[in-house]
Amino acid sequence: MKRIKRSAIFLSLLLGAGYGCITIKNDGVQATGSTAHSISDAKLFTAVWMQKSAEYKALSLQAYQLADLRLQEILTTQKPARPLAIVTDIDETFLDNSPYAIHQALQGKDFDPASWNEWVSKASADTIPGAWHFFYQAASQGVTIFYVTNRDQAARAATLKNLQKFNFPNADAAHLLTMSGSSSKQARRDSIAQNYTIALLLGDNLTDFSALFDNHPSEAARAAAVLNNKELFGKRFIVLPNPNYGDWENAIYQYKHLSPEQKAAAFQKDGAGY
Ligand SMILES: [Mg+2]
């Protein structure tokens, strides 16, 4: 996994030739406050956390090792009528796109479709710790893996190339369910469930798990839906951490397309409590 060299605090960020190549210099100069609250700074910080913190690696391993425990329990205690399947999201569930996030943030930018498609076309995303071993192990025990992603149809070939680069099981057209029309994954999960018993679902976003979380719920509704279904987490739903983006962020914006300034304002609005 590509890693960055860090020695400090002041963001003298030197943009490298590729994706995610930054050096953070400690030159003793204090950052000014003018850009301290920009969304791109926040995105940089969280993406660097994903690349550099051992805690992120530990959380990823924890998720995949829990998934394996649950799978072994299911394999030994249940006799499903249909073959077992695992449904997994791709981005920030087992592929690491933090180099893209850093590339964008260093230019003061957030996600945008054109730059994202360019990154995806490279098929160069690395894997998240623990993921490959889990899927390999599951497949070796006869469990079929389905990749259910909101990457679009145009990204299918590059996505398969990225998965096949690591020899992920079932990395073929039949097991890759990209987005076509609705961003909800429920119809795709339903189509899998016609022929398989879904043992586990893995994702970094609540919509990866259930239609309970579809239709743009508010922050409060998302939190309530999680608490009301708490028995599913760690049992049927395995969640990977993603502080860099997701519906948690979209809910803050009430799912509106905002300017960077409006986004920053939305974040600062709710900081009360101190
Ligand atoms: Mg994802």
Side-chain angles (χ1 to χ4, degrees):
M1 196 174 285
K2 190 180 291 183
R3 283 295 171 264
I4 55 174
K5 182 181 178 184
R6 171 197 173 210
S7 55
I9 300 169
F10 177 60
L11 300 179
S12 174
L13 301 165
L14 306 179
L15 180 57
Y19 283 84
C21 299
I22 67 169
T23 301
I24 302 176
K25 283 188 170 181
N26 182 5
D27 60 8
V29 180
Q30 295 297 310
T32 63
S34 60
T35 59
H37 301 300
S38 77
I39 292 298
S40 55
D41 281 357
K43 297 277 177 174
L44 179 62
F45 190 89
T46 51
V48 168
W49 180 81
M50 294 171 87
Q51 288 199 350
K52 297 202 61 69
S53 75
E55 287 80 0
Y56 176 65
K57 295 176 180 62
L59 284 166
S60 301
L61 287 167
Q62 179 173 265
Y64 278 104
Q65 288 171 10
L66 176 58
D68 186 50
L69 279 174
R70 278 294 298 143
L71 182 61
Q72 298 315 312
E73 187 181 358
I74 290 166
L75 286 168
T76 54
T77 62
Q78 298 182 15
K79 297 288 180 213
R82 285 161 290 186
L84 283 179
I86 289 172
V87 169
T88 183
D89 172 54
I90 294 180
D91 295 309
E92 276 52 70
T93 294
F94 70 87
L95 286 188
D96 168 20
N97 299 293
S98 60
Y100 167 75
I102 289 175
H103 175 81
Q104 290 298 99
L106 288 176
Q107 300 177 78
K109 296 177 181 174
D110 199 347
F111 169 93
D112 68 70
S115 61
W116 170 252
N117 291 338
E118 185 183 345
W119 161 250
V120 165
S121 73
K122 295 176 183 292
S124 61
D126 210 337
T127 61
I128 285 169
W132 186 87
H133 185 264
F134 169 71
F135 292 119
Y136 173 81
Q137 192 78 6
S140 73
Q141 293 179 285
V143 180
T144 302
I145 315 300
F146 283 93
Y147 302 96
V148 181
T149 175
N150 279 356
R151 289 186 177 197
D152 61 23
Q153 302 290 320
R156 287 182 66 82
T159 301
L160 286 175
K161 184 179 176 186
N162 206 152
L163 270 55
Q164 289 163 356
K165 177 179 165 186
F166 296 104
N167 201 23
F168 272 94
N170 303 119
D172 54 44
H175 297 86
L176 173 66
L177 283 73
T178 44
M179 183 171 69
S180 176
S182 172
S183 62
S184 171
K185 297 183 172 181
Q186 190 56 46
R188 285 171 275 171
R189 287 189 292 263
D190 289 344
S191 72
I192 294 165
Q194 288 179 0
N195 298 308
Y196 293 86
T197 296
I198 297 174
L200 295 171
L201 299 103
L202 294 97
D204 66 300
N205 200 58
L206 291 175
T207 54
D208 296 329
F209 303 108
S210 166
L212 281 170
F213 309 107
D214 285 346
N215 302 316
H216 298 171
S218 67
E219 291 173 69
R222 299 177 85 248
V226 166
L227 293 173
N228 291 336
N229 295 279
K230 59 187 177 186
E231 71 282 356
L232 294 170
F233 292 93
K235 190 171 184 181
R236 180 170 168 79
F237 302 162
I238 304 295
V239 188
L240 278 294
N242 183 1
N244 194 249
Y245 67 89
D247 280 341
W248 71 267
E249 181 188 3
N250 297 326
I252 290 172
Y253 310 146
Q254 301 178 331
Y255 301 92
K256 296 174 183 168
H257 292 289
L258 302 182
S259 69
E261 293 75 19
Q262 289 171 320
K263 288 181 177 181
F267 266 92
Q268 292 169 44
K269 186 181 68 169
D270 293 330
Y274 178 79

